[in-house]
């Protein structure tokens, strides 16, 4: 028995393609993911960059309409860009038509904590070894944990600041994250009252059959809040590999049983590219560093480049993204499965959330197909799988 696999999709736009095609690719991948037995299909929310998932809640509705069984959700709604009422009403509308299939993931808006590593060496059959002036990368039982990335290395913040201004009404101030989580919960369960004590009811929304998740990348307020509320927690190793494991530890330490969960439930994310052999996978992933560099340089996620034509990163550019290169799961099905099993073993995750970006949609489809097939066939030691009450019934991957 293996733990379940789920998919995180950013609807990436490839160089030479369009947002329209990226959205068609998302629908196509979601339909295939359902056939291949993935448990969930989650959409990320990003704005003013070259990904097509900016209106993630709208896209969730479209994916739910195009599929029949797979759970669909947000990873995550950036709550500072939305009111609690707009979130609950939107999810309530989708749930009214596709009941019992939605995961409402909530995350902080604004600048995520990203993590820093350094230039990896890739000895044959080994793991990256990273050593920089800011610290030394650890390898914990096969899992690469780089030192934290210093956001101060992103020198141009003008685009980020401009995007925040465009996403919020002038003079508006978002509630603190815990307060907004409380508002969402109250609107869902019908106990919401205004500051003046007036009861308000979200229609649709109140009583919606959605699962509430919190997302985080460090041992901070989000992880602790998820634990204290007894909610399932998703840790973003694919974005913050230096602190995601600490986030899982903080969540479990803070966990209190709730009506939703008797025990902690952890999903941890990983960025993967799978191909028939290691060399092919490395080639398909060759422009991942370019994409991450465009984000960390302050320009935002750019069109995903074709590895057949892109020029290599300079040493200076590579130093800015080495941690993300060292923690990407790239290789044959066997190679990636072994590394994912190590990630599950070290974190005790109850579920893995994989995201994959390649220039050609066909290669991304194959990556997920090969992984799904290999994951089902992989032997997994039962003592690595903690007995928990999963939020949902299992699907084919993970039994």
């Amino acid at each position: 028995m293996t733990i379940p696999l789920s998919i995180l999709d950013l609807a990436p736009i490839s160089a030479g393609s369009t947002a329209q095609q990226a959205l068609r690719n998302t629908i196509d991948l979601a339909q295939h993911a359902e056939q291949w037995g993935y448990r969930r299909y989650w959409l990320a929310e990003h704005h003013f960059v070259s990904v097509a998932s900016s209106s993630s809640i709208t896209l969730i509705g479209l994916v739910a309409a195009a599929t029949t069984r797979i759970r669909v959700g947000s990873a995550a709604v950036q709550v500072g860009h939305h009111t609690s009422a707009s979130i609950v009403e939107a999810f309530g509308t989708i749930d009214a038509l596709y009941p019992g299939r939605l995961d409402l993931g909530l995350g902080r808006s604004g600048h995520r904590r990203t993590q820093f590593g350094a230039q990896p060496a890739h000895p044959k059959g080994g793991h990256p070894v990273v050593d920089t002036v800011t610290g030394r990368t650890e390898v914990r039982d096969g899992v690469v944990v780089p030192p934290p990335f210093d956001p101060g290395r992103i020198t141009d913040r003008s685009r980020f600041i401009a995007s925040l201004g465009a996403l919020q009404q002038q003079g508006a101030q978002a509630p603190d994250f815990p307060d907004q989580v409380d508002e969402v919960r109250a609107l869902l369960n019908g106990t919401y009252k205004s500051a003046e004590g007036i009861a308000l009811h979200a229609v649709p929304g109140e009583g919606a059959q959605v699962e509430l998740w919190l997302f985080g990348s460090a041992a901070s307020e989000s992880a602790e809040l998820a634990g204290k509320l007894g909610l399932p927690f998703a840790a973003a190793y694919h974005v913050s590999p230096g602190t995601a494991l600490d986030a899982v530890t903080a969540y479990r330490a803070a966990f209190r049983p709730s009506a939703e969960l008797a025990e902690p439930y952890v999903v941890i994310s990983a960025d993967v590219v799978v191909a028939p052999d290691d060399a092919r996978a490395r080639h398909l992933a060759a422009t991942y560093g370019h994409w991450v560099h465009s984000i960390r340089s302050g320009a935002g996620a750019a069109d995903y480049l074709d590895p057949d034509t892109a020029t290599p990163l300079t040493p200076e550019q590579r130093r800015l993204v080495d941690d993300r290169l060292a923690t990407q799961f790239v290789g044959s099905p066997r190679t990636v499965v072994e590394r994912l099993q190590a990630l599950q073993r070290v974190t005790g995750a109850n579920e893995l959330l994989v995201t994959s970006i390649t220039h050609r949609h066909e290669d991304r489809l194959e990556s997920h197909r090969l992984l799904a097939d290999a994951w089902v066939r992989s032997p997994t030691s039962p003592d690595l799988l903690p007995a928990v009450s999963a939020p949902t019934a299992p699907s084919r991957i993970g039994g």
Side-chain angles (χ1 to χ4, degrees), residues 311-368:
T311 58
L313 292 173
T314 67
E316 182 179 359
Q317 290 173 327
R318 188 178 176 89
R319 279 192 293 271
L320 190 64
V321 301
D322 273 330
D323 61 318
R324 295 285 293 275
L325 297 178
T327 53
Q328 192 183 25
F329 294 62
V330 178
S332 67
R334 178 176 179 178
T335 297
V336 173
V337 164
E338 288 176 353
R339 290 191 62 194
L340 287 175
Q341 287 175 337
L343 181 64
Q344 190 280 326
R345 183 170 60 246
V346 168
T347 61
N350 307 101
E351 191 171 331
L352 295 178
L353 179 69
V354 296
T355 181
S356 181
I357 303 179
T358 58
H359 180 260
R360 296 175 67 250
H361 178 58
E362 294 81 0
D363 294 323
R364 188 161 69 126
L365 284 176
E366 184 177 47
S367 178
H368 285 297

Side-chain angles (χ1 to χ4, degrees), residues 66-375:
T67 54
T68 58
R69 302 180 308 277
I70 195 169
R71 296 193 65 84
V72 186
S74 55
V77 173
Q78 302 300 298
V79 295
H81 305 327
H82 309 266
T83 65
S84 302
S86 69
I87 295 169
V88 172
E89 289 172 347
F91 271 80
T93 300
I94 302 170
D95 177 75
L97 298 176
Y98 309 102
R101 293 178 55 203
L102 298 188
D103 297 324
L104 171 49
L106 301 178
R108 291 175 177 276
S109 58
H111 184 60
R112 280 187 171 186
R113 292 183 180 181
T114 53
Q115 310 304 319
F116 171 70
Q119 188 168 355
H122 292 277
K124 185 176 181 180
H127 291 281
V129 178
V130 183
D131 187 10
T132 75
V133 294
T134 59
R136 180 180 294 274
T137 284
E138 298 178 54
V139 179
R140 302 181 190 175
D141 194 16
V143 175
V144 179
V145 184
F149 175 77
D150 178 8
R153 300 180 71 203
I154 303 175
T155 56
D156 183 1
R157 300 176 182 273
S158 57
R159 185 185 183 92
F160 169 71
I161 294 170
S163 67
L164 289 183
L167 290 166
Q168 198 162 15
Q169 294 285 353
Q170 186 175 2
Q173 185 173 355
D176 289 340
F177 185 63
D179 292 338
Q180 196 157 8
V181 172
D182 285 345
E183 288 180 358
V184 169
R185 297 178 79 207
L187 286 164
L188 286 170
N189 63 33
T191 61
Y192 180 86
K193 290 186 178 180
S194 71
E196 299 76 24
I198 299 173
L200 297 175
H201 300 276
V203 182
E206 186 173 310
Q209 301 175 51
V210 301
E211 288 182 2
L212 190 62
W213 290 70
L214 297 191
F215 283 67
S217 57
S220 59
E221 190 174 42
S222 297
E224 293 177 1
L225 182 63
K228 290 176 181 178
L229 296 179
L231 296 173
F233 179 66
Y237 178 81
H238 80 287
V239 171
S240 302
T243 57
L245 274 62
D246 292 337
V248 172
T249 300
Y251 164 68
R252 289 203 175 99
F255 186 84
R256 299 171 186 170
S258 67
E260 287 83 6
L261 286 177
E263 300 178 24
Y265 193 91
V266 172
V267 167
I268 193 160
S269 63
D271 204 304
V272 308
V273 175
V274 185
D277 58 70
D278 289 349
R280 176 63 179 167
R282 285 194 296 268
H283 176 71
L284 295 178
T287 53
Y288 178 71
H290 300 69
W291 187 74
V292 175
H293 183 270
S294 69
I295 298 170
R296 288 189 170 175
S297 66
D303 291 354
Y304 201 84
L305 298 179
D306 186 344
D308 292 338
T309 58
T311 58
L313 292 173
T314 67
E316 182 179 359
Q317 290 173 327
R318 188 178 176 89
R319 279 192 293 271
L320 190 64
V321 301
D322 273 330
D323 61 318
R324 295 285 293 275
L325 297 178
T327 53
Q328 192 183 25
F329 294 62
V330 178
S332 67
R334 178 176 179 178
T335 297
V336 173
V337 164
E338 288 176 353
R339 290 191 62 194
L340 287 175
Q341 287 175 337
L343 181 64
Q344 190 280 326
R345 183 170 60 246
V346 168
T347 61
N350 307 101
E351 191 171 331
L352 295 178
L353 179 69
V354 296
T355 181
S356 181
I357 303 179
T358 58
H359 180 260
R360 296 175 67 250
H361 178 58
E362 294 81 0
D363 294 323
R364 188 161 69 126
L365 284 176
E366 184 177 47
S367 178
H368 285 297
R369 180 187 64 80
L370 289 172
L371 178 58
D373 183 58
W375 191 253

